[in-house]
Short mmCIF file of all heavy atoms in Angstrom, two decimals:
data_model
loop_
_atom_site.label_atom_id
_atom_site.label_comp_id
_atom_site.label_asym_id
_atom_site.label_seq_id
_atom_site.Cartn_x
_atom_site.Cartn_y
_atom_site.Cartn_z
N MET A 377 59.15 108.95 69.71
CA MET A 377 60.31 109.32 70.58
C MET A 377 61.34 110.11 69.75
O MET A 377 61.71 109.61 68.66
CB MET A 377 60.95 108.04 71.13
CG MET A 377 62.13 108.35 72.00
SD MET A 377 62.64 106.79 72.77
CE MET A 377 64.24 107.28 73.15
N GLU A 378 61.70 111.24 70.25
CA GLU A 378 62.65 112.07 69.49
C GLU A 378 64.05 111.46 69.37
O GLU A 378 64.51 110.97 70.39
CB GLU A 378 62.70 113.43 70.24
CG GLU A 378 63.48 114.46 69.48
CD GLU A 378 63.46 115.84 70.19
OE1 GLU A 378 63.12 115.88 71.47
OE2 GLU A 378 63.60 116.79 69.54
N ASN A 379 64.65 111.56 68.23
CA ASN A 379 65.98 111.01 68.03
C ASN A 379 66.97 112.25 68.22
O ASN A 379 67.33 112.92 67.32
CB ASN A 379 66.10 110.45 66.64
CG ASN A 379 67.39 109.67 66.46
OD1 ASN A 379 68.39 110.03 67.08
ND2 ASN A 379 67.31 108.65 65.70
N ILE A 380 67.33 112.49 69.44
CA ILE A 380 68.11 113.63 69.82
C ILE A 380 69.48 113.69 69.11
O ILE A 380 69.91 114.72 68.62
CB ILE A 380 68.24 113.77 71.35
CG1 ILE A 380 66.86 113.98 72.00
CG2 ILE A 380 69.19 114.95 71.75
CD1 ILE A 380 66.80 113.87 73.52
N GLN A 381 70.17 112.56 69.07
CA GLN A 381 71.55 112.53 68.50
C GLN A 381 71.40 112.95 67.00
O GLN A 381 72.25 113.68 66.50
CB GLN A 381 72.13 111.18 68.64
CG GLN A 381 72.50 110.87 70.07
CD GLN A 381 73.01 109.40 70.19
OE1 GLN A 381 72.43 108.48 69.71
NE2 GLN A 381 74.18 109.24 70.83
N LEU A 382 70.46 112.42 66.29
CA LEU A 382 70.30 112.67 64.92
C LEU A 382 69.92 114.16 64.69
O LEU A 382 70.43 114.82 63.90
CB LEU A 382 69.26 111.78 64.29
CG LEU A 382 69.04 112.02 62.75
CD1 LEU A 382 70.31 111.85 61.94
CD2 LEU A 382 67.88 111.04 62.32
N ARG A 383 69.00 114.59 65.52
CA ARG A 383 68.60 116.04 65.45
C ARG A 383 69.79 116.93 65.67
O ARG A 383 69.99 117.91 64.94
CB ARG A 383 67.51 116.32 66.50
CG ARG A 383 67.06 117.80 66.39
CD ARG A 383 66.32 118.23 67.62
NE ARG A 383 67.26 118.26 68.74
CZ ARG A 383 66.91 118.10 70.01
NH1 ARG A 383 65.69 117.86 70.34
NH2 ARG A 383 67.87 118.15 70.93
N ASP A 384 70.60 116.65 66.68
CA ASP A 384 71.75 117.43 66.96
C ASP A 384 72.73 117.46 65.77
O ASP A 384 73.30 118.45 65.47
CB ASP A 384 72.46 117.01 68.24
CG ASP A 384 71.67 117.29 69.46
OD1 ASP A 384 70.68 118.06 69.44
OD2 ASP A 384 71.98 116.76 70.53
N LYS A 385 72.97 116.34 65.15
CA LYS A 385 73.83 116.22 64.02
C LYS A 385 73.33 117.02 62.85
O LYS A 385 74.12 117.69 62.20
CB LYS A 385 74.00 114.73 63.62
CG LYS A 385 75.10 114.42 62.72
CD LYS A 385 76.43 114.68 63.30
CE LYS A 385 77.36 113.52 63.33
NZ LYS A 385 78.70 113.91 63.76
N ILE A 386 72.00 116.94 62.66
CA ILE A 386 71.41 117.72 61.54
C ILE A 386 71.57 119.19 61.81
O ILE A 386 72.06 119.99 60.91
CB ILE A 386 69.91 117.39 61.31
CG1 ILE A 386 69.77 116.00 60.81
CG2 ILE A 386 69.18 118.46 60.52
CD1 ILE A 386 68.36 115.44 60.91
N ARG A 387 71.30 119.68 63.02
CA ARG A 387 71.37 121.09 63.27
C ARG A 387 72.77 121.59 63.43
O ARG A 387 73.07 122.81 63.18
CB ARG A 387 70.59 121.33 64.56
CG ARG A 387 69.12 121.11 64.26
CD ARG A 387 68.19 121.49 65.41
NE ARG A 387 66.78 121.23 64.98
CZ ARG A 387 65.85 121.12 65.86
NH1 ARG A 387 66.05 121.29 67.16
NH2 ARG A 387 64.57 120.79 65.41
N GLU A 388 73.68 120.71 63.78
CA GLU A 388 75.16 121.09 63.78
C GLU A 388 75.60 121.55 62.38
O GLU A 388 76.28 122.52 62.23
CB GLU A 388 75.91 119.94 64.18
CG GLU A 388 77.40 120.12 64.33
CD GLU A 388 78.13 118.86 64.77
OE1 GLU A 388 77.75 118.30 65.79
OE2 GLU A 388 79.01 118.41 64.01
N LYS A 389 75.16 120.80 61.36
CA LYS A 389 75.62 121.12 60.02
C LYS A 389 74.65 122.03 59.24
O LYS A 389 75.15 122.90 58.46
CB LYS A 389 75.77 119.81 59.20
CG LYS A 389 76.30 120.02 57.84
CD LYS A 389 76.86 118.83 57.13
CE LYS A 389 77.42 119.30 55.78
NZ LYS A 389 77.80 118.12 54.99
N TYR A 390 73.40 121.88 59.40
CA TYR A 390 72.39 122.62 58.57
C TYR A 390 71.62 123.69 59.36
O TYR A 390 70.85 124.47 58.71
CB TYR A 390 71.41 121.67 57.97
CG TYR A 390 72.01 120.83 56.88
CD1 TYR A 390 72.56 119.59 57.16
CD2 TYR A 390 72.23 121.29 55.54
CE1 TYR A 390 73.19 118.84 56.16
CE2 TYR A 390 72.78 120.58 54.56
CZ TYR A 390 73.32 119.28 54.92
OH TYR A 390 73.92 118.62 53.90
N LYS A 391 71.76 123.78 60.65
CA LYS A 391 71.08 124.76 61.53
C LYS A 391 69.52 124.51 61.70
O LYS A 391 69.02 124.66 62.73
CB LYS A 391 71.33 126.21 61.07
CG LYS A 391 72.80 126.57 60.87
CD LYS A 391 73.51 126.42 62.21
CE LYS A 391 75.00 126.87 61.95
NZ LYS A 391 75.93 125.98 62.57
N THR A 392 68.93 124.13 60.58
CA THR A 392 67.43 123.85 60.70
C THR A 392 67.15 122.50 59.94
O THR A 392 67.81 122.15 59.04
CB THR A 392 66.64 124.98 60.01
OG1 THR A 392 66.84 124.97 58.57
CG2 THR A 392 66.94 126.35 60.57
N ASP A 393 66.05 121.96 60.46
CA ASP A 393 65.55 120.71 59.78
C ASP A 393 65.06 120.94 58.33
O ASP A 393 65.30 120.17 57.48
CB ASP A 393 64.34 120.15 60.61
CG ASP A 393 64.79 119.65 61.94
OD1 ASP A 393 65.98 119.57 62.25
OD2 ASP A 393 63.87 119.37 62.72
N THR A 394 64.56 122.15 58.13
CA THR A 394 64.09 122.55 56.72
C THR A 394 65.31 122.65 55.75
O THR A 394 65.21 122.11 54.65
CB THR A 394 63.32 123.86 56.79
OG1 THR A 394 62.22 123.76 57.63
CG2 THR A 394 62.89 124.29 55.36
N ALA A 395 66.42 123.21 56.22
CA ALA A 395 67.58 123.29 55.37
C ALA A 395 68.13 121.91 55.07
O ALA A 395 68.48 121.60 53.90
CB ALA A 395 68.61 124.18 56.01
N PHE A 396 68.10 121.01 56.04
CA PHE A 396 68.57 119.68 55.84
C PHE A 396 67.62 118.92 54.85
O PHE A 396 68.09 118.28 53.91
CB PHE A 396 68.57 118.92 57.20
CG PHE A 396 68.76 117.46 57.11
CD1 PHE A 396 69.99 116.96 56.65
CD2 PHE A 396 67.82 116.51 57.31
CE1 PHE A 396 70.19 115.59 56.54
CE2 PHE A 396 67.96 115.16 57.16
CZ PHE A 396 69.17 114.65 56.77
N GLY A 397 66.31 119.12 55.06
CA GLY A 397 65.36 118.51 54.13
C GLY A 397 65.60 118.96 52.65
O GLY A 397 65.58 118.13 51.75
N MET A 398 65.83 120.21 52.46
CA MET A 398 66.08 120.76 51.15
C MET A 398 67.36 120.12 50.55
O MET A 398 67.43 119.84 49.37
CB MET A 398 66.20 122.29 51.16
CG MET A 398 64.89 122.99 51.51
SD MET A 398 64.98 124.76 51.64
CE MET A 398 65.45 125.16 49.94
N ALA A 399 68.36 119.90 51.39
CA ALA A 399 69.63 119.39 50.94
C ALA A 399 69.49 117.91 50.49
O ALA A 399 70.22 117.49 49.57
CB ALA A 399 70.71 119.44 52.04
N ILE A 400 68.50 117.19 51.03
CA ILE A 400 68.31 115.83 50.62
C ILE A 400 67.06 115.58 49.78
O ILE A 400 66.75 114.46 49.47
CB ILE A 400 68.45 114.89 51.84
CG1 ILE A 400 67.28 115.08 52.78
CG2 ILE A 400 69.72 114.85 52.52
CD1 ILE A 400 67.09 114.06 53.89
N GLY A 401 66.38 116.65 49.53
CA GLY A 401 65.16 116.55 48.72
C GLY A 401 63.94 116.02 49.41
O GLY A 401 63.07 115.42 48.82
N TRP A 402 63.82 116.26 50.70
CA TRP A 402 62.66 115.90 51.50
C TRP A 402 61.85 117.08 51.87
O TRP A 402 62.32 118.16 52.05
CB TRP A 402 63.18 115.19 52.74
CG TRP A 402 63.59 113.77 52.62
CD1 TRP A 402 63.92 113.14 51.50
CD2 TRP A 402 63.79 112.84 53.69
NE1 TRP A 402 64.30 111.89 51.77
CE2 TRP A 402 64.24 111.66 53.11
CE3 TRP A 402 63.59 112.92 55.11
CZ2 TRP A 402 64.56 110.52 53.88
CZ3 TRP A 402 63.90 111.80 55.75
CH2 TRP A 402 64.29 110.59 55.19
N VAL A 403 60.53 116.84 52.00
CA VAL A 403 59.65 117.86 52.52
C VAL A 403 59.83 117.96 54.08
O VAL A 403 60.22 116.89 54.66
CB VAL A 403 58.19 117.59 52.18
CG1 VAL A 403 57.99 117.64 50.66
CG2 VAL A 403 57.68 116.29 52.74
N PRO A 404 59.53 119.10 54.72
CA PRO A 404 59.73 119.24 56.17
C PRO A 404 59.00 118.16 57.00
O PRO A 404 59.53 117.68 57.98
CB PRO A 404 59.18 120.62 56.44
CG PRO A 404 59.44 121.40 55.14
CD PRO A 404 59.18 120.35 54.07
N ASN A 405 57.82 117.77 56.48
CA ASN A 405 57.09 116.76 57.30
C ASN A 405 57.86 115.39 57.35
O ASN A 405 57.80 114.74 58.42
CB ASN A 405 55.65 116.53 56.57
CG ASN A 405 54.84 115.65 57.38
OD1 ASN A 405 54.66 115.81 58.65
ND2 ASN A 405 54.15 114.71 56.75
N LYS A 406 58.53 115.05 56.29
CA LYS A 406 59.28 113.80 56.35
C LYS A 406 60.45 113.92 57.30
O LYS A 406 60.80 112.93 57.96
CB LYS A 406 59.68 113.38 54.90
CG LYS A 406 60.20 111.94 54.85
CD LYS A 406 60.35 111.50 53.39
CE LYS A 406 60.79 110.07 53.33
NZ LYS A 406 60.82 109.62 51.98
N VAL A 407 61.17 115.02 57.30
CA VAL A 407 62.25 115.25 58.22
C VAL A 407 61.72 115.19 59.64
O VAL A 407 62.31 114.62 60.52
CB VAL A 407 63.00 116.58 57.92
CG1 VAL A 407 64.07 116.83 58.97
CG2 VAL A 407 63.54 116.62 56.53
N TYR A 408 60.57 115.75 59.88
CA TYR A 408 59.94 115.71 61.23
C TYR A 408 59.78 114.25 61.63
O TYR A 408 60.03 113.89 62.79
CB TYR A 408 58.61 116.51 61.28
CG TYR A 408 57.92 116.36 62.52
CD1 TYR A 408 58.23 117.26 63.55
CD2 TYR A 408 56.90 115.44 62.66
CE1 TYR A 408 57.55 117.12 64.76
CE2 TYR A 408 56.26 115.30 63.91
CZ TYR A 408 56.61 116.22 65.00
OH TYR A 408 55.96 116.08 66.19
N LYS A 409 59.22 113.45 60.74
CA LYS A 409 58.96 112.02 61.05
C LYS A 409 60.34 111.33 61.39
O LYS A 409 60.36 110.46 62.22
CB LYS A 409 58.28 111.33 59.91
CG LYS A 409 56.81 111.75 59.80
CD LYS A 409 56.20 111.10 58.55
CE LYS A 409 54.77 111.58 58.35
NZ LYS A 409 54.18 110.96 57.21
N LEU A 410 61.36 111.63 60.63
CA LEU A 410 62.69 111.05 60.82
C LEU A 410 63.16 111.40 62.24
O LEU A 410 63.64 110.45 62.96
CB LEU A 410 63.70 111.52 59.78
CG LEU A 410 65.12 111.02 59.96
CD1 LEU A 410 65.22 109.56 59.54
CD2 LEU A 410 66.02 111.88 59.02
N VAL A 411 63.10 112.61 62.63
CA VAL A 411 63.64 113.11 63.82
C VAL A 411 62.72 112.87 65.05
O VAL A 411 63.28 112.51 66.16
CB VAL A 411 63.98 114.62 63.75
CG1 VAL A 411 64.49 115.16 65.11
CG2 VAL A 411 65.04 114.84 62.66
N ASN A 412 61.45 112.95 64.91
CA ASN A 412 60.59 112.93 66.03
C ASN A 412 59.69 111.62 66.12
O ASN A 412 59.13 111.39 67.23
CB ASN A 412 59.66 114.15 65.99
CG ASN A 412 60.45 115.39 66.19
OD1 ASN A 412 61.04 115.61 67.26
ND2 ASN A 412 60.49 116.24 65.16
N LEU A 413 59.44 110.97 65.08
CA LEU A 413 58.53 109.85 65.04
C LEU A 413 59.13 108.51 64.73
O LEU A 413 58.44 107.51 64.34
CB LEU A 413 57.35 110.12 64.17
CG LEU A 413 56.58 111.38 64.48
CD1 LEU A 413 55.44 111.58 63.45
CD2 LEU A 413 55.97 111.38 65.88
N ASN A 414 60.52 108.44 64.82
CA ASN A 414 61.17 107.18 64.60
C ASN A 414 60.95 106.60 63.17
O ASN A 414 60.90 105.30 63.01
CB ASN A 414 60.83 106.12 65.65
CG ASN A 414 61.34 106.51 66.99
OD1 ASN A 414 62.35 107.15 67.16
ND2 ASN A 414 60.66 106.02 68.06
N TYR A 415 60.84 107.44 62.17
CA TYR A 415 60.87 106.95 60.86
C TYR A 415 62.19 106.31 60.51
O TYR A 415 63.26 106.95 60.71
CB TYR A 415 60.52 108.08 59.87
CG TYR A 415 60.66 107.67 58.40
CD1 TYR A 415 59.62 106.99 57.78
CD2 TYR A 415 61.83 107.95 57.62
CE1 TYR A 415 59.70 106.63 56.43
CE2 TYR A 415 61.91 107.60 56.30
CZ TYR A 415 60.83 106.92 55.71
OH TYR A 415 61.01 106.56 54.36
N ILE A 416 62.17 105.12 60.00
CA ILE A 416 63.36 104.41 59.67
C ILE A 416 63.54 104.57 58.14
O ILE A 416 62.75 104.03 57.38
CB ILE A 416 63.33 102.90 60.00
CG1 ILE A 416 63.00 102.68 61.48
CG2 ILE A 416 64.61 102.20 59.61
CD1 ILE A 416 64.06 103.22 62.48
N PRO A 417 64.65 105.20 57.75
CA PRO A 417 64.80 105.43 56.28
C PRO A 417 65.15 104.19 55.50
O PRO A 417 65.77 103.28 56.05
CB PRO A 417 65.97 106.46 56.22
CG PRO A 417 66.73 106.28 57.48
CD PRO A 417 65.73 105.80 58.52
N LYS A 418 64.68 104.15 54.23
CA LYS A 418 65.05 103.08 53.30
C LYS A 418 66.63 103.24 53.08
O LYS A 418 67.17 104.28 53.33
CB LYS A 418 64.34 103.17 52.04
CG LYS A 418 62.84 103.09 52.21
CD LYS A 418 62.15 103.37 50.87
CE LYS A 418 60.71 103.50 51.09
NZ LYS A 418 59.95 104.17 50.04
N LEU A 419 67.19 102.21 52.57
CA LEU A 419 68.63 102.18 52.33
C LEU A 419 69.06 103.37 51.45
O LEU A 419 70.04 104.05 51.80
CB LEU A 419 69.11 100.92 51.72
CG LEU A 419 70.63 100.78 51.48
CD1 LEU A 419 71.43 101.00 52.72
CD2 LEU A 419 70.98 99.43 50.85
N SER A 420 68.33 103.58 50.36
CA SER A 420 68.69 104.67 49.48
C SER A 420 68.61 106.03 50.19
O SER A 420 69.40 106.99 50.00
CB SER A 420 67.87 104.69 48.23
OG SER A 420 66.42 104.83 48.53
N GLU A 421 67.57 106.20 51.06
CA GLU A 421 67.46 107.40 51.84
C GLU A 421 68.56 107.52 52.84
O GLU A 421 69.13 108.66 53.12
CB GLU A 421 66.10 107.42 52.59
CG GLU A 421 64.89 107.41 51.65
CD GLU A 421 63.59 107.21 52.37
OE1 GLU A 421 63.53 106.49 53.36
OE2 GLU A 421 62.59 107.78 51.90
N ALA A 422 68.95 106.44 53.46
CA ALA A 422 69.98 106.40 54.47
C ALA A 422 71.37 106.87 53.87
O ALA A 422 72.14 107.58 54.43
CB ALA A 422 70.17 105.04 55.11
N VAL A 423 71.56 106.46 52.57
CA VAL A 423 72.82 106.82 51.93
C VAL A 423 72.81 108.30 51.68
O VAL A 423 73.79 109.00 51.97
CB VAL A 423 72.93 106.11 50.60
CG1 VAL A 423 74.05 106.69 49.77
CG2 VAL A 423 73.19 104.59 50.84
N LYS A 424 71.74 108.87 51.26
CA LYS A 424 71.58 110.36 51.08
C LYS A 424 71.81 111.04 52.38
O LYS A 424 72.53 112.05 52.45
CB LYS A 424 70.16 110.73 50.55
CG LYS A 424 70.03 110.81 49.10
CD LYS A 424 68.63 111.41 48.80
CE LYS A 424 68.36 111.27 47.37
NZ LYS A 424 66.98 111.71 47.05
N ILE A 425 71.20 110.62 53.42
CA ILE A 425 71.34 111.27 54.81
C ILE A 425 72.73 111.20 55.20
O ILE A 425 73.32 112.24 55.67
CB ILE A 425 70.36 110.57 55.81
CG1 ILE A 425 68.90 110.84 55.36
CG2 ILE A 425 70.66 111.05 57.17
CD1 ILE A 425 67.91 109.95 56.15
N SER A 426 73.38 110.04 55.16
CA SER A 426 74.72 109.89 55.67
C SER A 426 75.72 110.81 54.87
O SER A 426 76.60 111.40 55.39
CB SER A 426 75.20 108.43 55.68
OG SER A 426 75.25 107.93 54.35
N ARG A 427 75.52 110.90 53.58
CA ARG A 427 76.33 111.71 52.80
C ARG A 427 76.12 113.19 53.08
O ARG A 427 77.08 114.01 53.22
CB ARG A 427 76.09 111.50 51.30
CG ARG A 427 76.62 110.21 50.72
CD ARG A 427 76.33 109.99 49.33
NE ARG A 427 76.92 108.70 48.82
CZ ARG A 427 76.58 108.09 47.71
NH1 ARG A 427 75.69 108.64 46.93
NH2 ARG A 427 77.07 106.99 47.42
N ALA A 428 74.89 113.58 53.30
CA ALA A 428 74.56 114.94 53.62
C ALA A 428 75.17 115.39 54.99
O ALA A 428 75.51 116.54 55.19
CB ALA A 428 73.07 115.18 53.62
N LEU A 429 75.25 114.41 55.90
CA LEU A 429 75.76 114.71 57.22
C LEU A 429 77.22 114.38 57.39
O LEU A 429 77.77 114.61 58.42
CB LEU A 429 74.91 113.99 58.27
CG LEU A 429 73.47 114.34 58.42
CD1 LEU A 429 72.75 113.39 59.42
CD2 LEU A 429 73.28 115.78 58.83
N ASP A 430 77.80 113.90 56.31
CA ASP A 430 79.27 113.54 56.37
C ASP A 430 79.61 112.51 57.42
O ASP A 430 80.49 112.61 58.17
CB ASP A 430 80.17 114.79 56.54
CG ASP A 430 80.07 115.74 55.36
OD1 ASP A 430 79.96 115.29 54.25
OD2 ASP A 430 80.06 116.99 55.65
N ILE A 431 78.66 111.44 57.52
CA ILE A 431 78.86 110.36 58.44
C ILE A 431 78.79 109.09 57.64
O ILE A 431 78.19 109.07 56.62
CB ILE A 431 77.90 110.36 59.61
CG1 ILE A 431 76.49 110.32 59.13
CG2 ILE A 431 78.11 111.61 60.50
CD1 ILE A 431 75.38 110.21 60.27
N ASP A 432 79.31 108.00 58.19
CA ASP A 432 79.11 106.67 57.54
C ASP A 432 77.79 106.12 57.89
O ASP A 432 77.14 106.46 58.83
CB ASP A 432 80.31 105.79 57.76
CG ASP A 432 80.52 105.42 59.22
OD1 ASP A 432 79.59 105.35 59.96
OD2 ASP A 432 81.66 105.26 59.56
N LEU A 433 77.39 105.09 57.16
CA LEU A 433 76.12 104.45 57.38
C LEU A 433 76.06 103.73 58.77
O LEU A 433 74.99 103.72 59.38
CB LEU A 433 75.84 103.35 56.29
CG LEU A 433 75.36 103.93 54.94
CD1 LEU A 433 75.28 102.87 53.90
CD2 LEU A 433 74.02 104.64 55.09
N GLU A 434 77.14 103.27 59.20
CA GLU A 434 77.20 102.67 60.56
C GLU A 434 76.84 103.61 61.62
O GLU A 434 76.10 103.35 62.55
CB GLU A 434 78.62 102.10 60.80
CG GLU A 434 78.69 101.25 62.11
CD GLU A 434 80.00 100.60 62.22
OE1 GLU A 434 80.63 100.30 61.26
OE2 GLU A 434 80.45 100.40 63.42
N GLU A 435 77.38 104.91 61.53
CA GLU A 435 77.06 105.91 62.53
C GLU A 435 75.60 106.28 62.46
O GLU A 435 74.91 106.39 63.45
CB GLU A 435 77.93 107.11 62.36
CG GLU A 435 77.64 108.21 63.42
CD GLU A 435 78.54 109.38 63.35
OE1 GLU A 435 79.47 109.42 62.56
OE2 GLU A 435 78.32 110.31 64.12
N LEU A 436 75.05 106.43 61.23
CA LEU A 436 73.68 106.73 61.03
C LEU A 436 72.79 105.64 61.65
O LEU A 436 71.88 105.89 62.32
CB LEU A 436 73.35 106.90 59.53
CG LEU A 436 71.88 107.25 59.25
CD1 LEU A 436 71.54 108.59 59.84
CD2 LEU A 436 71.63 107.30 57.78
N ALA A 437 73.09 104.34 61.38
CA ALA A 437 72.41 103.29 61.95
C ALA A 437 72.39 103.28 63.46
O ALA A 437 71.35 102.88 64.06
CB ALA A 437 72.91 101.90 61.41
N SER A 438 73.48 103.72 64.07
CA SER A 438 73.48 103.77 65.52
C SER A 438 72.49 104.67 66.10
O SER A 438 72.08 104.48 67.24
CB SER A 438 74.92 104.15 65.96
OG SER A 438 75.15 105.56 65.78
N PHE A 439 72.08 105.61 65.35
CA PHE A 439 70.97 106.60 65.87
C PHE A 439 69.68 105.89 66.06
O PHE A 439 68.79 106.29 66.73
CB PHE A 439 70.83 107.77 64.96
CG PHE A 439 72.08 108.71 64.82
CD1 PHE A 439 72.32 109.23 63.58
CD2 PHE A 439 72.90 108.87 65.87
CE1 PHE A 439 73.49 110.08 63.48
CE2 PHE A 439 74.02 109.75 65.73
CZ PHE A 439 74.27 110.30 64.54
N PHE A 440 69.46 104.81 65.24
CA PHE A 440 68.18 104.04 65.33
C PHE A 440 68.23 102.79 66.13
O PHE A 440 67.25 102.15 66.29
CB PHE A 440 67.80 103.73 63.85
CG PHE A 440 67.58 104.95 63.00
CD1 PHE A 440 68.60 105.38 62.12
CD2 PHE A 440 66.49 105.76 63.08
CE1 PHE A 440 68.52 106.55 61.39
CE2 PHE A 440 66.34 106.92 62.29
CZ PHE A 440 67.40 107.33 61.50
N ALA A 441 69.41 102.48 66.60
CA ALA A 441 69.61 101.20 67.37
C ALA A 441 69.42 101.40 68.92
O ALA A 441 69.84 100.63 69.64
CB ALA A 441 70.90 100.63 67.02
N GLN A 442 68.73 102.44 69.28
CA GLN A 442 68.67 102.77 70.68
C GLN A 442 67.42 102.11 71.31
O GLN A 442 66.47 101.97 70.76
CB GLN A 442 68.49 104.30 70.83
CG GLN A 442 69.62 104.99 70.33
CD GLN A 442 69.44 106.49 70.21
OE1 GLN A 442 68.43 107.00 70.53
NE2 GLN A 442 70.40 107.19 69.63
#
C-alpha cells in the first residue's frame, strides 16, 4: 500500500524519490519499498529520514500508523 503522505512530503522537498534517496544514502529500490511497500525504517534510518525532510520523528511515525 502506497504511503501517499510520505511520498508527498518527499516530493515537496526533493522533487524525486531518487534525489531523496541520494540525500539519505539509500538506493532507489529501498526508497521505493519505503513509499510503496510499507517498509518500516529502523530507528537510525528514521532519524535520517526525519532530518532530511525537516520533520520530527513523531510526524514521521504518523505516516506509518495508518
Side-chain angles (χ1 to χ4, degrees):
M377 181 174 157
E378 187 176 24
N379 193 326
I380 295 169
Q381 291 176 310
L382 179 57
R383 183 198 65 209
D384 290 347
K385 194 64 125 169
I386 290 169
R387 292 187 181 162
E388 178 183 307
K389 182 163 183 187
Y390 289 94
K391 307 299 182 223
T392 68
D393 294 348
T394 301
F396 171 70
M398 290 177 65
I400 63 170
W402 282 17
V403 295
N405 188 45
K406 192 167 183 177
V407 175
Y408 176 84
K409 289 177 183 178
L410 177 72
V411 175
N412 296 295
L413 300 178
N414 292 330
Y415 173 79
I416 305 296
K418 298 172 188 160
L419 180 58
S420 60
E421 295 171 330
V423 169
K424 267 188 191 177
I425 293 166
S426 64
R427 287 180 180 162
L429 295 176
D430 296 321
I431 59 176
D432 59 34
L433 284 172
E434 187 175 330
E435 183 177 355
L436 180 63
S438 74
F439 298 143
F440 301 99
Q442 303 167 2

